Amino acid sequence: MATLNLDTLTAAFADIETITDPAQVAKLSQDYHTFSPVLVPKLAGKVGDIVVRPANEAEVIKVAATCAKLRIPVTVRGAGTGNYGQCVPMHGGVILDMTKMHEILWVKPAVARVEAGVKLAALDKKAREIGWEMRMAPSTYRTATIGGFIAGGSGGIGSIQYGLLGDRGNLLGLRVVTLEDEPRIIELRGDDVQKVNHAWGINGIITRLELPLAPAYPWAEVIVTFDDFMTAAKFGYALGIADGMMKKLISVFASPIPQYFHALHEYIPQGKHPAFLMVAEPSLEFLPGLVQQYGGEITYQKPAQDAGKGTHLAEFTWNHTTLHARIVDSSITYLQSIFPPDASLQLVEHLYHHFGDEVMMHLEFFRVRGAVIAGALQLVRYTTEERLNEIIRYHEAQGVMIANPHTYIIEDGGRKVIDPEQLKFKEMVDPYGLMNPGKSKVLEFHNNS
Amino acid sequence: MATLNLDTLTAAFADIETITDPAQVAKLSQDYHTFSPVLVPKLAGKVGDIVVRPANEAEVIKVAATCAKLRIPVTVRGAGTGNYGQCVPMHGGVILDMTKMHEILWVKPAVARVEAGVKLAALDKKAREIGWEMRMAPSTYRTATIGGFIAGGSGGIGSIQYGLLGDRGNLLGLRVVTLEDEPRIIELRGDDVQKVNHAWGINGIITRLELPLAPAYPWAEVIVTFDDFMTAAKFGYALGIADGMMKKLISVFASPIPQYFHALHEYIPQGKHPAFLMVAEPSLEFLPGLVQQYGGEITYQKPAQDAGKGTHLAEFTWNHTTLHARIVDSSITYLQSIFPPDASLQLVEHLYHHFGDEVMMHLEFFRVRGAVIAGALQLVRYTTEERLNEIIRYHEAQGVMIANPHTYIIEDGGRKVIDPEQLKFKEMVDPYGLMNPGKSKVLEFHNNS
């Protein structure tokens, strides 16, 4: 990178909103990698030089042209709710904050088109007016942007019905601005979206997205408690495979995790293992029978009409579980696991017992290749990086897939390799390797100065 | 049964529509058990004495009271599109034709309530006005009634998404009139519906039903052809497990089955093995990629907006496949099979090769307990009952579940036993054993005359 002249930059971005206040820039150089005690020291002090906040695609193109010309790194961000440091600029440069581009371009039955900075909750609100909603969302749906979710997310609330973001059909189209000398707009549709889907902001600046929608059932929120963790887990699986019951969320927590959910204490007696559910109201009549079959007890039920009020169960699930635990005990960190398909959940049971209180089991059920599987975002009582790696290796040796959230290196995370098609696309859209540099083993960033 | 005095009966049913013309009564004593050369001789000559066509629940109650008092058998029918002789009266008596009770009581988002004689297509038409439709339907949806589908059906078009009719949540409520001296109306909801669900008309006269609905996606109809049957089958499975792609139908036919589909000849070259699909249009852009992966070719595509026009692919699938084959060659009969969950479809492959042209493979993919599985309605070139049973036994020995359509005895069919809860309910609602008598091993019908 050429030595960055802030004056040159601010001049080049004259008509565009920029932030140069160091405190603000530092804040916008962060994400939730702070969940990982391993990542924190590795990413400490990594800040951008300037934050640029484009209001429209024309401004994005202007920023892209300037950055290409001056060989300035560009780290794109939405709300910064990711957990893997992918919003942290390793080599300074421009932080491209997309949150001003929040226009919902259109919503039709089953499909919507939005700008990248639209918050998930905002699209849901709009889509529900015509009876639809996003197919899936992270627990950060209130603040997270759709562009950020596609670039860095993998699934979430809704994945029990629709699988993961990377599955064919869960992203219909997107549009990127290239980092070339003369930036182009490229629109991708169909299978081609995979060139940019889950590419951690290295494959062009996403400006627009087209998403499939799901029918917006009236979702009731329910807590069911169990005396025994494995019974709770098996109940969760049984609800997962009940094809006639529409559900959006099946989270199961081993005691003592619920102690971190202050707002919900009255519904979860000490020592009980709860399942948190979102079930469509037309299916709700069938829940008591299933609960009874597993000896559980429904302790909390919020009808869909109160969805907007009070506590939102979903905000205690997925990565929000980790957030709540860390508020109480900041030494806690987490894993991200996918168990192999297995109706008997034997591996879950083995690992639940094996690590005891050191690794507290938090299951999320979702679909992978047509099968209901148990994922887990276990809470780990952190001691050392060595011990954490030992825990990860033990899981992997048992056959659990770990999407390691304690690395910012793409190839060390969930996907293990960057897709060759993505690499080919990257060569075209980011010829100077300016996008989110330093996050990959195969993509080295050469400081040309 | 007391010797039936037709005059007494017509007098008792004075205000209710009845049919006594023998040709008409004989016709309304039939269903599509004629698909089975084994059933035809066994059910030959079985006819009712009178057909009664109630227009409302009050009339049903009147009929029930009379039949209970006089100990007259009651065989309830909708459109008679079932294939197992469950509409054929073994001991004469009243044929209760429910088709005049065809009021759609109400349709709301995700839920509808109907009278038992409503045709599936009629509910779909009404529900689609507000963006919903039935979750699943047999290939006879144009004529079949909802009451008949619940009493005798098991699933169909839509089951790839929602599983089978017997799954928790696929039937919300129903109402029956009992065959007691003083008939009662009993409303069942939640898990209690299973007391009557798929009970072959032996557990009370269903008058009303409450059903969950599915979002009415715009369904495109597509034919994809393959050089090789197993590749077609594997493609079907791959589409089945693509959680992000919404589909309603995945039928795969081994050559030479398509020769029986005259209307579709131009789209299926001789010797090719086709898959017939209904795919939601927002997912359609992803089909070519998947088709290419399996070396198939899309030869026909009808957009959703033309759904009402011309040929309906669905009417060549499920049991309509058998219908079309038998129109060309009446010696053909069929099996109904469920293969164990297996991504490699090894057992399908074995049986496809094992029987060769004698058993022509026709797969329907659907969900069973959360997993995508291959069902089959194989076409069989019939020779003798012995050989047919040999074929069935071979399938069962290999681990294929056969829901035998060549018996009218409930326990010899798909479920093997009558659910104890259903038996208990039957004792209450049909104390004299008058409903569809002679169809069960455990429920004997004693002619009291």
Side-chain angles (χ1 to χ4, degrees), chain A residues 150-167:
Chain A
I150 295 297
S154 60
I157 303 149
S159 287
I160 183 62
Q161 209 80 254
Y162 298 98
L164 299 174
L165 269 184
D167 290 333

Side-chain angles (χ1 to χ4, degrees), chain A residues 15-293:
Chain A
D15 303 331
I16 307 171
E17 186 184 338
T18 55
I19 299 173
T20 51
D21 168 59
Q24 281 290 305
V25 173
K27 199 179 153 201
L28 290 167
S29 299
Q30 291 288 304
D31 60 15
Y32 277 84
H33 72 270
T34 46
F35 280 15
S36 166
V38 178
L39 286 179
V40 167
K42 290 183 181 161
L43 297 177
K46 305 288 183 188
V47 291
D49 295 289
I50 184 171
V51 176
V52 185
R53 306 189 69 220
N56 53 51
E57 211 167 48
E59 293 189 355
V60 172
I61 290 172
K62 213 178 279 184
V63 177
T66 302
C67 290
K69 187 176 156 206
L70 301 178
R71 306 287 195 271
I72 300 170
V74 177
T75 303
V76 187
R77 66 178 280 126
T81 52
N83 307 307
Y84 324 114
Q86 294 302 330
C87 287
V88 178
M90 301 306 287
H91 300 279
V94 165
I95 302 288
L96 194 64
D97 176 345
M98 299 298 288
T99 54
K100 272 174 79 181
M101 291 178 62
H102 54 63
E103 192 187 343
I104 296 171
L105 299 161
W106 48 257
V107 176
K108 294 188 295 195
V111 189
R113 191 167 170 91
V114 296
E115 286 192 318
V118 169
K119 291 183 192 307
L120 283 89
L123 174 57
D124 266 353
K125 193 175 168 201
K126 186 80 187 163
R128 280 182 192 137
E129 289 171 10
I130 59 158
W132 295 82
E133 64 183 13
M134 287 192 72
R135 283 188 177 174
M136 62 193 76
S139 59
T140 50
Y141 56 87
R142 281 202 219 217
T143 49
T145 66
I146 295 172
F149 184 43
I150 295 297
S154 60
I157 303 149
S159 287
I160 183 62
Q161 209 80 254
Y162 298 98
L164 299 174
L165 269 184
D167 290 333
R168 261 196 178 107
N170 280 331
L171 172 62
L172 300 178
L174 48 70
R175 186 145 117 156
V176 293
V177 168
T178 67
L179 258 282
E180 298 170 287
D181 292 315
E182 291 185 19
R184 282 177 296 164
I185 291 171
I186 298 179
E187 177 92 24
L188 300 174
R189 297 197 65 81
D191 284 340
D192 281 341
V193 299
Q194 306 304 352
K195 294 173 181 170
V196 179
N197 195 1
H198 203 63
W200 315 275
I202 69 169
N203 270 11
I205 301 162
I206 301 173
T207 54
R208 295 179 178 193
L209 303 110
E210 202 169 311
L211 298 162
L213 300 176
Y217 285 100
W219 298 111
E221 302 176 15
V222 183
I223 297 177
V224 189
T225 62
F226 298 84
D227 290 336
D228 170 71
F229 171 71
M230 281 311 297
T231 310
K234 282 171 188 170
F235 162 81
Y237 180 77
L239 178 59
I241 65 167
D243 296 313
M245 295 179 70
M246 299 302 108
K247 55 265 171 187
K248 191 169 173 176
L249 178 73
I250 307 173
S251 314
V252 176
F253 307 96
S255 177
I257 293 177
Q259 79 184 28
Y260 304 122
F261 304 156
H262 284 313
L264 303 171
H265 275 179
E266 60 181 304
Y267 311 112
I268 310 164
Q270 185 91 31
K272 296 271 187 177
H273 310 264
F276 287 8
L277 314 174
M278 290 175 75
V279 176
E281 289 192 338
S283 298
L284 208 53
E285 278 181 276
F286 298 87
L287 195 62
L290 192 63
V291 167
Q292 191 185 22
Q293 207 173 307

Side-chain angles (χ1 to χ4, degrees), chain A residues 305-319:
Chain A
Q305 65 182 45
D306 296 340
K309 304 173 199 162
T311 302
H312 295 217
L313 273 197
E315 289 178 320
F316 292 84
T317 68
W318 289 85
N319 264 330

Side-chain angles (χ1 to χ4, degrees), chain B residues 413-428:
Chain B
R415 297 235 178 141
K416 313 301 179 195
V417 289
I418 304 181
D419 178 82
E421 287 295 314
Q422 287 195 340
L423 286 177
K424 231 164 73 187
F425 190 71
K426 181 173 180 67
E427 277 175 32
M428 182 174 83

Side-chain angles (χ1 to χ4, degrees), chain B residues 187-264:
Chain B
E187 177 92 26
L188 301 173
R189 297 197 66 83
D191 285 339
D192 281 341
V193 299
Q194 305 305 353
K195 294 173 182 172
V196 179
N197 195 0
H198 202 64
W200 316 275
I202 69 169
N203 271 11
I205 301 163
I206 301 174
T207 54
R208 295 180 177 192
L209 303 110
E210 203 170 308
L211 298 162
L213 300 175
Y217 285 100
W219 298 111
E221 302 176 15
V222 182
I223 297 177
V224 189
T225 63
F226 298 85
D227 290 335
D228 170 71
F229 171 70
M230 281 311 298
T231 310
K234 282 171 187 170
F235 162 80
Y237 180 77
L239 177 60
I241 65 168
D243 296 313
M245 295 179 70
M246 299 302 107
K247 56 266 170 185
K248 191 169 173 177
L249 178 72
I250 306 174
S251 314
V252 176
F253 307 95
S255 176
I257 293 177
Q259 81 185 26
Y260 304 122
F261 304 155
H262 284 313
L264 303 172

